[in-house]
Amino acid sequence: MAASKCSSLMTFFLCISLISPALVQSAFQFKHHSNEELATILEEVHFRCPNITKVYALSENSVAGNPLLLIEFSGEPGYHELLEPEFKYIANMHGNEVLGRELLLKMADYLCEQYIAGNESIRSLIHSTRIHLMPSMNPDGWEMATAVGGDNYLVGRTNNNSVDLNRDFPDLDRLLYAEEDERSIRNNHLMDQIRHLDHPPQPETLAVMRMILEQPFVASANLHGGDLVANYPFDESRDKDGSDESPSPDDDTFRHLALSYASMHPRMSDPNQPSCDDTSSSGFGKQGGITNGAAWYSVEGGMQDFNYLSSNDFEITLELGCEKYPKAERLAQEWEDNKDALINLIWQSHIGVKGEVKDAITGRPLGNAVITTRNVTRLNETHARKDLVKHDVTSAQGGDYWRLLTPGEYEITASVRNYLPLTKRVLVTNPRHQQAFIMNFELHSATNQGQRTWEWDDDVPLDYVVEDLGEDFDKNVDEIPLNREGNWPQDMEEFDLGLKDNVGDYNHLKYKWFPSPNRR
């Protein structure tokens, strides 16, 4: 590659055109790769596997002008394929935490290598998943950390404006907690409610925010260093002054995602693994190698929670080891320790259910459909859960949706403004490394049946609320009938969407009619 630095998107594409054909055939080397070498490796992989990869840069460069590069693996690179979940890894958000950066470079090399070699599991993963790898979100910080030898615990953590990128995202947790205090029914895609930000995001943050809101990501992880644990939402404590466990509505699913990584790592889930801070004889291994983020320490403005609260993306944070900048001779072993876990986590984008939401008459795909979930898993012969998962996801522009779930029985409701909602029951089993169960919804227009329509600010009328099954919850039904009798509890004075404390659990009867961010 030309010796000059690829310092902008235009010069980046000029630089990659100068790659020697002989360099394309070179074997991957475990070392700390410079920003120029990072770009070279991604292009080498693309040249070796042009039909399943695409190298691209985000909308903004770093503060110092470095392009923010990713490589995509897919059967149709550059395009979202219907019903294909999208997964992303982002590393080196803190510039002095470098192991994830090298792991993702090797991951790109490995996926291409194994695809060419005919590895059926890898080929299946690539053809069923759109995978995005971002080795460095903070290339400027990496340069600063490397310039001082990589042995300073703080130098290079921030970007070139001295901003910690993992504190720079909109603080949607605090907005959610305020909604909970006010007993609001809004629980997802909270950026829709933001009219202005309290600070201008850094270019690196802004670029990643745009990517999150534009692509229908299903699951992801950001890779850090400094400890050995898989961290899951929420990262920010509900208690402003403390670090208390703050589980999300999808706590079971997030714990599964974290365990799916930790359990495949030889040391992360080892109960005898010592802590990194020398304050105890054992680390997170006694917890299975996982932790709720806020129970560890509270983070405001973090990327993990922003993904979950602004989009359909279930993101966890992976702390990959005590050393933030491990010696180069450690990298090969770190790859062996993390390889299977990295692959296994990508497969988790296929758990639960997926499907299409369409107009029942025209077949037109219905984007922004709200997918509401209720856990009705049987506990024994006479009892079952009746838990609303108070976090909805929405369908993408093409009408396809993905709902990550752990094994159990669920009632899934698809609803779109001006359509009659439809609920189906499904048994989720999550067979290993297979695609999610497909459950499609065909919705009938409410206006075609002479029904009234409403806007978001209106009260949802009773005849559009899915019926509470009550004691009949365990019937083997496919579609739940609509409540046509208006059989709301008789002691209610008004339809207030759950503002009364003495009426029992009917939160599952709430439905939300609002737009989600535009998607490609």
Side-chain angles (χ1 to χ4, degrees):
M1 163 173 262
S4 61
K5 176 180 177 180
C6 298
S7 60
S8 69
L9 186 56
M10 180 176 295
T11 56
F12 161 67
F13 286 111
L14 175 61
C15 285
I16 63 174
S17 68
L18 302 177
I19 296 176
S20 164
L23 193 59
V24 173
Q25 303 300 321
S26 62
F28 183 89
Q29 292 181 305
F30 286 103
K31 54 172 282 188
H32 290 292
H33 296 88
S34 69
N35 289 330
E36 291 81 6
E37 291 170 327
L38 181 154
T40 301
I41 288 175
L42 298 186
E43 282 303 320
E44 287 177 358
V45 171
H46 173 62
F47 288 152
R48 287 161 50 205
C49 293
N51 295 327
I52 59 168
T53 63
K54 177 184 178 181
V55 177
Y56 66 99
L58 296 187
S59 61
E60 308 289 326
N61 289 337
S62 72
V63 173
N66 286 299
L68 303 176
L69 301 176
L70 295 91
I71 187 168
E72 170 195 335
F73 285 82
S74 172
E76 294 289 338
Y79 300 94
H80 171 70
E81 297 181 75
L82 194 69
L83 291 177
E84 185 173 282
E86 305 214 11
F87 182 96
K88 71 178 185 318
Y89 276 126
I90 295 180
N92 202 207
M93 184 182 199
H94 291 144
N96 63 339
E97 298 172 11
V98 303
L99 177 56
R101 172 185 172 112
E102 297 305 323
L103 291 180
L104 292 192
L105 289 176
K106 177 55 184 175
M107 168 72 82
D109 174 77
Y110 176 80
L111 290 176
C112 175
E113 170 190 87
Q114 294 299 306
Y115 188 91
I116 293 173
N119 183 318
E120 289 301 323
S121 177
I122 295 299
R123 293 176 71 93
S124 175
L125 180 64
I126 290 173
H127 282 288
S128 62
T129 322
R130 192 180 183 196
I131 304 166
H132 305 253
L133 307 179
M134 185 178 188
S136 182
M137 182 179 167
N138 188 2
D140 301 352
W142 181 91
E143 290 181 338
M144 290 186 284
T146 303
V148 298
D151 56 0
N152 188 293
Y153 208 71
L154 293 177
V155 173
R157 175 182 175 89
T158 62
N159 75 344
N160 213 41
N161 283 336
S162 299
V163 174
D164 187 332
L165 299 180
N166 206 32
R167 306 294 187 277
D168 193 44
F169 284 80
D171 187 0
L172 299 183
D173 296 79
R174 196 50 56 194
L175 178 59
L176 174 71
Y177 299 157
E179 296 276 346
E180 290 177 344
D181 292 341
E182 297 171 5
R183 308 192 67 175
S184 170
I185 64 174
R186 192 65 176 274
N187 63 25
N188 62 91
H189 292 83
L190 297 183
M191 280 298 289
D192 295 350
Q193 299 190 56
I194 301 295
R195 295 295 174 262
H196 59 84
L197 300 177
D198 60 0
H199 69 280
Q202 295 297 299
E204 299 93 342
T205 308
L206 181 60
V208 171
M209 286 174 59
R210 286 174 174 163
M211 175 177 65
I212 291 169
L213 297 178
E214 289 174 357
Q215 303 292 345
F217 290 111
V218 176
S220 62
N222 64 87
L223 280 53
H224 289 255
D227 218 306
L228 188 62
V229 66
N231 175 106
Y232 57 90
F234 286 124
D235 255 347
E236 183 174 347
S237 175
R238 286 178 168 83
D239 179 4
K240 278 190 173 183
D241 300 321
S243 294
D244 297 327
E245 183 170 3
S246 298
S248 74
D250 285 285
D251 192 59
D252 287 348
T253 300
F254 274 118
R255 289 175 62 86
H256 166 82
L257 294 177
L259 283 168
S260 73
Y261 196 95
S263 64
M264 298 291 288
H265 190 287
R267 290 175 287 113
M268 190 176 288
S269 59
D270 181 357
N272 297 316
Q273 178 70 23
S275 66
C276 291
D277 58 11
D278 296 325
T279 61
S280 62
S281 60
S282 62
F284 290 103
K286 288 188 175 180
Q287 303 170 199
I290 69 173
T291 186
N292 174 266
W296 185 12
Y297 63 91
S298 185
V299 173
E300 297 181 9
M303 182 168 69
Q304 172 182 270
D305 291 1
F306 178 82
N307 274 276
Y308 180 60
L309 295 176
S310 71
S311 72
N312 297 322
D313 188 2
F314 285 47
E315 175 156 301
I316 63 173
T317 300
L318 301 173
E319 298 281 350
L320 297 174
C322 300
E323 294 182 89
K324 292 192 172 189
Y325 205 117
K327 301 298 183 184
E329 53 265 27
R330 282 284 310 156
L331 297 178
Q333 184 58 52
E334 290 289 355
W335 165 248
E336 292 301 322
D337 288 350
N338 286 277
K339 175 181 64 178
D340 292 342
L342 287 165
I343 296 296
N344 190 51
L345 184 57
I346 299 175
W347 275 112
Q348 305 315 302
S349 61
H350 293 277
I351 66 172
V353 297
K354 65 180 180 180
E356 298 177 67
V357 184
K358 296 181 178 181
D359 184 295
I361 304 302
T362 67
R364 179 174 64 89
L366 299 176
N368 297 327
V370 177
I371 307 300
T372 302
T373 305
R374 187 182 182 197
N375 189 332
V376 293
T377 302
R378 300 169 189 266
L379 301 175
N380 52 45
E381 293 184 358
T382 59
H383 294 80
R385 297 176 61 172
K386 298 178 63 177
D387 309 330
L388 175 75
V389 181
K390 297 180 181 179
H391 181 86
D392 300 331
V393 298
T394 57
S395 61
Q397 184 177 353
D400 44 348
Y401 76 92
W402 304 262
R403 197 16 168 134
L404 302 186
L405 296 167
T406 54
E409 294 179 79
Y410 298 88
E411 289 167 359
I412 311 291
T413 300
S415 49
V416 181
R417 193 178 69 179
N418 297 335
Y419 283 81
L420 300 177
L422 179 63
T423 299
K424 294 184 177 182
R425 178 172 292 211
V426 62
L427 176 64
V428 173
T429 59
N430 292 342
R432 177 176 169 81
H433 293 183
Q434 295 185 30
Q435 296 189 45
F437 180 82
I438 294 178
M439 187 164 64
N440 298 323
F441 291 88
E442 296 184 351
L443 304 187
H444 290 273
S445 170
T447 55
N448 289 344
Q449 300 187 26
Q451 308 290 344
R452 66 162 284 195
T453 62
W454 62 91
E455 300 298 329
W456 164 248
D457 291 333
D458 295 339
D459 283 342
V460 181
L462 288 176
D463 60 346
Y464 280 85
V465 177
V466 173
E467 184 178 30
D468 182 358
L469 292 182
E471 295 299 320
D472 295 331
F473 62 85
D474 58 348
K475 288 183 178 178
N476 185 21
V477 296
D478 181 59
E479 179 178 337
I480 299 176
L482 298 177
N483 180 348
R484 300 298 185 186
E485 283 77 37
N487 57 346
W488 202 254
Q490 297 299 312
D491 59 348
M492 289 196 61
E493 300 173 1
E494 59 183 347
F495 182 70
D496 62 5
L497 287 180
L499 297 181
K500 295 186 179 295
D501 293 326
N502 60 347
V503 182
D505 178 17
Y506 57 89
N507 287 333
H508 60 282
L509 299 179
K510 299 176 183 177
Y511 289 91
K512 306 148 194 68
W513 314 103
F514 49 85
S516 63
N518 292 329
R519 292 179 173 79
R520 182 162 65 83

